[in-house]
Amino acid sequence: MIKLFVDEFHPLSQEADDLNYDEPQNMNDGWDGNEMEEGGNDGWSDNDMSPKDGKEGWDDDDDGGWDDEQMATETVDTKEEILNGYVVIRDACVQLEKEMQKVISEVSGVLFVEMGQAEIALREYKWAKQSLETTWFATDDSPLEMRTRLGLSRKPDEWEEQADTTRIPCCSYIGSAKEKVSKREMKAVQKELYSFVSTLLKAGHTQAAIISKSRDKKFKTRDVIEMTQIVTSEALASSSISATSVCEQNNGTFTLSEGVRPNCGHGRCDNCWKAHIEALVLSGRDALTAKCNHLICEKNHQHKYILGCFCVERIPREIFEKYLTSNQKLLQKYKRMCLDSFLENAINFNIRPCPSKRCDLWYKKKAPKSEIISCECLQKMCFNCGLPPHQPIPCANALDWRRRCSADVQTEIWRVMNTAVCPNPNCRVIIKREIDDKDRCLHMICSQCKYHWCWACREEFRPGGKNKNHDNFYHCKLYDEGKLRPEVKRMNQKLEQVRREAAKLKFCEHLRSCCDKDIESLEKLQKTLEEEVTKNGGDVGRYKFIFDAISKLLMANEDKKRLYIVAFYAAMDNKKHLFEFQLRDMAEKTTKLLNMLQPNQKEKKSLDDFANESKSLNHTTKLVSAFLQKLRKDVQEGECVTILDKPDDKSNGWFCMSCKKMNPFEKFICECTACQVHGEKRCLRCNPENHVHYLEDH
C-alpha cells in the first residue's frame, strides 16, 4: 500500500543548509537529541514519552535529560561574577539554557506533569511560573481543566499492561481507505463519485476545490474526502514509488519499538513522525505550538478547530528531539526557538539583556544596590523596565510615555481626530476630514454614497424644512442642546480626551526639544572652549570652573526633560502649584547660568571674560546643582507632586511664569511674550528675532 501525507504533512522543499535562522554554536546543555536513542530507556519510554517506572524526568546517563544533583553541583562550582548586586551572564546560550531547564524541572515537580508538558504550560503562560502554579491549583478540578485546555493528556493506565509487540494503528496511514469499498460497492454506489473525483484530480484541482464543486452534485463531504484518498492512492500505486515506511509494510500498523504514541493515543510510525516533525520545524515558531491535529469528528460537515473536530494534544519536546537527531541543523534551530521563547520572558526570573545591540551580556538581579545598571559597553539602563535611566519618573510612566510617542500611537491619534465613519448604514466607509480646525465647517458629504451629514452630531444634515436640525454650516442645534445619541456622546468624550492629551503631549515635547537645543549649543560651546584652552597653552585646571558649569548645566537640561514628563502625568491637586513653582524656580536658575555662559547666540565670551566672572559662575553652579539634587529627591519621594498613571483630565493648560495667566497647550508663547520654557519675555532662545528688542532694552 502507498501512504500519503494529507493536510498535516508537507514534503521538505529545501535542504537544512538553506535555513535562514541563526543557530547557536554550542547548545549541548539540556536536551540532547543524540542521547535520545532507542537503546537506553531506563526511566523514560521513547515510544509513549512517559516514565515507565513512575519517575518524572530523564536519567542523564541514558536519556539526555536533566539530573538535579548534577545541576546543583554545577551551580555550586560555578563562580558568579557580581556587578553592583547583579550576576553577569557572559555565555548566554549555555547559562540561560541551564536556567530554563531548572525552571522547567521545578514546575514539572510541582504540577506532577512530564518535563515536555511542563515546558508547554510555561510557554502558554509566557513563563509566568507563579501565575501558572496558582491557576493550576485554584480548585480541585483545576488540574484536569488545565490539562484539557492546554492539550496535556495523562497517559492511560491500561497502556502499562500492553506489550511492546502490540500493533498500533498509524493515524497518518490512509492507504487502507481503498479497502473499505469493494468493487461491487464501487460500481453500484460510488461509480459516479469516482468518475467525478478522478476527472477533477487529473485537471489539477485541489481537495478543497473538489469538495466545493461536489456540493452541486449533492455528494457528502466525507465521501468526497475518502474517494479523493482512494483515487490518489491508486495513482501512487500505479507509479514506481516504493513503500518504505513501517506502517506501509504492515497495513498501517506499528509496534511501540517502531514509533511513538502520545498520551492522546494517536500514534505514528517513525517514518511518519520524522517527516511531520521536520516539516513543522521548517515552518518556524509554529512548531512550539504544534498539535496532534488528528481528525476525531465523525459528523458530515465542514470540520473546524473551533468545533472540536481535531485532536488538540500538544506535541512535547521529547518527540521533536527524538526525530531531529539525524538532522543537527533542524535540531539546533528547534532548541534555539525554545530558548528564544524563554529569553523573551526572562524578566519574570529577574534576567534582562544589555539594551545595546552590540553587547551580548545578560544580567540577573541578586542583591542590587541600585536599579541602574552600567554595562561594560558603557550603556546604562533601568533594570525594571529596560529603558535608559529615567529617575524620578516611575517605570510605568516611562513605558507609557514611550508608547505615546511611538509612530503607531501617533497615527491612531490622527485617525481618531481626523476621520469618521459615514453614518449611512448602507455605506459605513471611513471619511477623512479635509478641512482645518480653524474652518469649523460641520457639513460633510460622503465621497462614496453622497450622504450629507454633520461632523458634530453624526446625523443627517438638514438645514431647512420641517425636520430642520442645523441653522448653518457652523452650528449644530443637536450638539448645542445636548440631544446627541449615547454612542455619539461617548465618542465625543473620547475625542475630547484624545485631543486634550495630544495637545499636552505636543506641548511637553516642545519643551523637551528646547532643552535639546540648549544641550546642543552647550556641547558646541564646550568644544570651542576646549580648542581655545589648547591654543592658549592647555592649562585646563585654570578654567576647570567653566567646564564644571557646562557639565552641571547639561545635567540640569537632562533633568528638565524628565521633569516635563513628570508634569505630563502630574495630578491637579494641592501639590501641583508647588511643583509648578519648583519648575519656574528651576527655569530661572538654569537660565541665569545659561546667560552667564552664553548671553545670546551672536555674542561669544572669551576665556578672559569667564575668568573675570569665576566667583559668580562658581556660586551659581553650586546653587543649580544643589537645587536640582533637592528637586529630584522631592519628586521621587512624592513631596512636591503626585504622579498619576495617565494625564489628569482636569489639566487643560499651562501657567505663564511672568503674568500668571492660563494658556492653552496649543500655545507655546504667552500673550505677554514670555515663553513657557525659560520664563523670559522676548526670549532669545525660543525666538531669535527678539534679539533686536534685546538690544533696544539694554
Side-chain angles (χ1 to χ4, degrees):
M1 305 304 294
I2 304 298
K3 173 179 65 66
L4 283 180
F5 298 105
V6 180
D7 292 337
E8 298 177 1
F9 302 149
H10 306 283
L12 301 180
S13 59
Q14 58 180 3
E15 296 296 330
D17 295 335
D18 297 333
L19 297 176
N20 53 357
Y21 200 93
D22 296 333
E23 299 90 3
Q25 298 298 324
N26 186 8
M27 291 286 289
N28 295 325
D29 295 288
W31 283 298
D32 191 348
N34 294 324
E35 299 171 358
M36 298 185 65
E37 298 179 356
E38 298 178 3
N41 294 325
D42 296 339
W44 198 277
S45 173
D46 285 339
N47 299 318
D48 45 38
M49 288 301 151
S50 56
K52 285 188 174 183
D53 54 0
K55 296 181 180 180
E56 295 289 339
W58 301 284
D59 184 359
D60 283 343
D61 297 333
D62 295 328
D63 292 312
W66 310 324
D67 191 309
D68 293 337
E69 296 181 358
Q70 181 180 354
M71 183 178 298
T73 303
E74 292 178 358
T75 305
V76 173
D77 295 340
T78 303
K79 294 183 179 179
E80 295 180 341
E81 181 182 352
I82 306 298
L83 177 64
N84 295 329
Y86 294 92
V87 179
V88 182
I89 301 176
R90 296 190 178 276
D91 193 355
C93 289
V94 176
Q95 296 187 38
L96 293 178
E97 177 80 13
K98 292 180 180 179
E99 189 72 26
M100 180 181 71
Q101 294 172 2
K102 180 181 177 182
V103 173
I104 297 175
S105 178
E106 292 174 355
V107 173
S108 175
V110 172
L111 304 185
F112 301 101
V113 296
E114 302 165 13
M115 298 285 284
Q117 292 182 341
E119 184 180 9
I120 292 173
L122 282 167
R123 277 203 297 262
E124 190 70 20
Y125 274 76
K126 296 183 178 181
W127 294 89
K129 176 183 173 183
Q130 189 67 30
S131 176
L132 172 61
E133 294 175 353
T134 302
T135 308
W136 190 278
F137 296 108
T139 61
D140 294 339
D141 297 332
S142 293
L144 181 59
E145 294 175 357
M146 290 285 289
R147 282 182 174 273
T148 303
R149 184 170 64 85
L150 298 178
L152 308 175
S153 303
R154 286 183 178 273
K155 178 184 176 182
D157 296 334
E158 57 269 17
W159 288 5
E160 299 291 342
E161 302 176 358
Q162 293 183 357
D164 293 341
T165 57
T166 303
R167 305 208 67 84
I168 302 170
C170 178
C171 65
S172 297
Y173 178 77
I174 64 171
S176 60
K178 183 180 177 182
E179 301 171 0
K180 296 180 182 179
V181 182
S182 64
K183 293 183 179 179
R184 179 178 298 179
E185 290 174 337
M186 177 73 73
K187 292 180 180 179
V189 181
Q190 296 184 341
K191 184 176 181 180
E192 182 182 359
L193 177 59
Y194 180 84
S195 176
F196 173 76
V197 173
S198 301
T199 303
L200 293 180
L201 280 176
K202 291 178 181 179
H205 292 277
T206 62
Q207 186 181 41
I210 295 175
I211 293 175
S212 178
K213 292 180 178 294
S214 66
R215 292 169 183 169
D216 298 336
K217 300 285 186 177
K218 297 182 180 180
F219 292 128
K220 294 182 178 180
T221 302
R222 177 169 290 277
D223 293 340
V224 174
I225 295 175
E226 187 178 87
M227 186 59 67
T228 303
Q229 296 174 352
I230 293 173
V231 175
T232 308
S233 179
E234 286 181 345
L236 291 177
S238 62
S239 64
S240 59
I241 300 178
S242 60
T244 58
S245 62
V246 175
C247 61
E248 290 289 354
Q249 297 174 356
N250 296 277
N251 295 325
T253 61
F254 66 93
T255 62
L256 292 177
S257 61
E258 298 171 338
V260 172
R261 177 176 56 179
N263 292 347
C264 62
H266 303 133
R268 292 181 175 91
C269 67
D270 290 337
N271 302 89
C272 297
W273 270 123
K274 187 174 185 298
H276 185 38
I277 293 300
E278 290 182 350
L280 285 174
V281 177
L282 285 172
S283 65
R285 292 288 293 266
D286 292 340
L288 301 180
T289 58
K291 301 177 181 178
C292 174
N293 290 339
H294 181 66
L295 181 64
I296 58 178
C297 179
E298 298 181 355
K299 296 181 180 179
N300 183 25
H301 64 92
Q302 186 176 1
H303 300 292
K304 298 180 180 179
Y305 279 99
I306 194 173
L307 300 178
C309 299
F310 298 91
C311 177
V312 295
E313 178 72 14
R314 304 289 284 272
I315 302 178
R317 181 170 182 166
E318 300 93 329
I319 295 180
F320 277 92
E321 295 194 341
K322 174 181 174 63
Y323 293 106
L324 292 176
T325 305
S326 59
N327 194 332
Q328 288 298 314
K329 288 281 186 179
L330 291 181
L331 178 60
Q332 296 301 331
K333 176 181 177 180
Y334 177 75
K335 286 185 175 181
R336 182 63 192 183
M337 290 190 296
C338 294
L339 181 60
D340 286 344
S341 70
F342 173 75
L343 298 183
E344 291 170 359
N345 303 277
I347 189 59
N348 293 331
F349 307 99
N350 293 323
I351 300 175
R352 188 179 289 279
C354 174
S356 176
K357 296 181 179 179
R358 295 174 295 179
C359 184
D360 298 329
L361 295 182
W362 288 67
Y363 294 91
K364 182 178 180 180
K365 182 186 292 187
K366 190 171 184 180
K369 301 176 182 178
S370 173
E371 298 297 337
I372 305 300
I373 297 179
S374 297
C375 186
E376 295 179 359
C377 63
L378 304 181
Q379 184 79 20
K380 293 183 178 181
M381 73 167 177
C382 172
F383 185 84
N384 291 335
C385 60
L387 297 179
H390 51 76
Q391 283 69 17
I393 309 170
C395 291
N397 296 94
L399 292 170
D400 184 68
W401 176 267
R402 187 181 67 167
R403 181 188 64 82
R404 289 175 181 271
C405 296
S406 64
D408 293 340
V409 175
Q410 293 298 315
T411 302
E412 179 64 18
I413 290 175
W414 180 91
R415 186 193 67 80
V416 172
M417 295 177 59
N418 296 278
T419 63
V421 178
C422 177
N424 187 359
N426 298 325
C427 181
R428 309 299 293 176
V429 300
I430 298 178
I431 304 298
K432 176 180 177 296
R433 196 179 189 189
E434 297 288 351
I435 60 176
D436 191 4
D437 284 342
K438 296 180 181 180
D439 191 356
R440 300 295 181 183
C441 179
L442 301 176
H443 182 211
M444 303 293 296
I445 303 177
C446 179
S447 59
Q448 300 297 318
C449 64
K450 308 304 178 184
Y451 185 76
H452 294 248
W453 53 282
C454 174
W455 179 269
C457 65
R458 299 296 198 269
E459 300 288 350
E460 183 180 2
F461 196 90
R462 296 188 298 270
K466 295 182 179 180
N467 298 325
K468 175 181 177 181
N469 56 6
H470 292 81
D471 296 328
N472 51 51
F473 291 154
Y474 302 95
H475 293 89
C476 176
K477 293 176 61 177
L478 297 178
Y479 183 84
D480 295 339
E481 297 173 1
K483 298 180 179 180
L484 302 177
R485 287 179 285 128
E487 58 271 19
V488 177
K489 288 183 178 180
R490 290 192 298 268
M491 181 192 62
N492 287 338
Q493 292 175 358
K494 179 183 177 182
L495 179 61
E496 184 61 28
Q497 180 183 359
V498 170
R499 189 188 302 275
R500 182 174 57 254
E501 292 183 359
K504 189 173 183 179
L505 179 69
K506 185 178 179 181
F507 174 69
C508 292
E509 278 293 309
H510 170 73
L511 300 180
R512 287 166 54 83
S513 65
C514 292
C515 293
D516 290 331
K517 293 179 181 178
D518 289 342
I519 292 174
E520 183 179 357
S521 63
L522 286 170
E523 290 176 347
K524 290 181 179 179
L525 176 62
Q526 184 178 12
K527 184 177 180 181
T528 302
L529 293 176
E530 288 175 353
E531 294 176 354
E532 191 172 347
V533 169
T534 304
K535 290 180 181 179
N536 293 341
D539 189 5
V540 181
R542 180 183 176 187
Y543 303 104
K544 185 177 181 297
F545 67 95
I546 304 176
F547 299 105
D548 288 344
I550 294 176
S551 176
K552 294 296 182 183
L553 197 52
L554 288 172
M555 293 176 58
N557 278 279
E558 292 293 342
D559 288 336
K560 285 167 63 177
K561 290 175 63 177
R562 298 184 188 126
L563 290 174
Y564 289 140
I565 299 179
V566 173
F568 181 78
Y569 295 99
M572 295 294 294
D573 53 7
N574 297 331
K575 297 180 181 179
K576 176 68 174 177
H577 300 288
L578 175 60
F579 182 60
E580 289 179 348
F581 174 79
Q582 298 278 26
L583 290 179
R584 183 181 66 183
D585 201 7
M586 175 188 66
E588 291 176 353
K589 286 180 170 56
T590 54
T591 302
K592 180 180 179 181
L593 182 58
L594 186 61
N595 288 334
M596 295 177 67
L597 291 171
Q598 196 174 12
N600 55 69
Q601 297 180 355
K602 295 185 178 181
E603 296 181 5
K604 294 183 180 179
K605 285 186 175 182
S606 63
L607 291 176
D608 295 334
D609 296 333
F610 285 117
N612 296 332
E613 301 177 359
S614 59
K615 292 184 178 180
S616 59
L617 193 59
N618 276 326
H619 178 69
T620 307
T621 302
K622 292 179 180 179
L623 286 178
V624 171
S625 179
F627 177 82
L628 288 175
Q629 185 177 0
K630 180 67 167 58
L631 181 58
R632 282 195 299 266
K633 181 180 178 181
D634 291 344
V635 172
Q636 198 158 4
E637 295 177 355
E639 294 184 2
C640 64
V641 64
T642 303
I643 303 176
L644 304 178
D645 295 334
K646 63 177 183 178
D648 197 335
D649 295 336
K650 301 176 183 178
S651 176
N652 56 6
W654 58 276
F655 292 96
C656 178
M657 300 180 189
S658 298
C659 66
K660 307 295 187 292
K661 181 180 178 181
M662 189 73 173
N663 294 278
F665 286 116
E666 290 82 357
K667 294 178 61 177
F668 304 136
I669 306 296
C670 181
E671 293 181 358
C672 69
T673 70
C675 72
Q676 166 67 1
V677 185
H678 305 98
E680 295 179 348
K681 293 186 177 181
R682 299 175 180 176
C683 181
L684 300 180
R685 279 170 293 280
C686 294
N687 189 3
E689 297 179 358
N690 290 330
H691 183 67
V692 178
H693 303 289
Y694 176 81
L695 295 178
E696 293 177 356
D697 296 340
H698 296 77

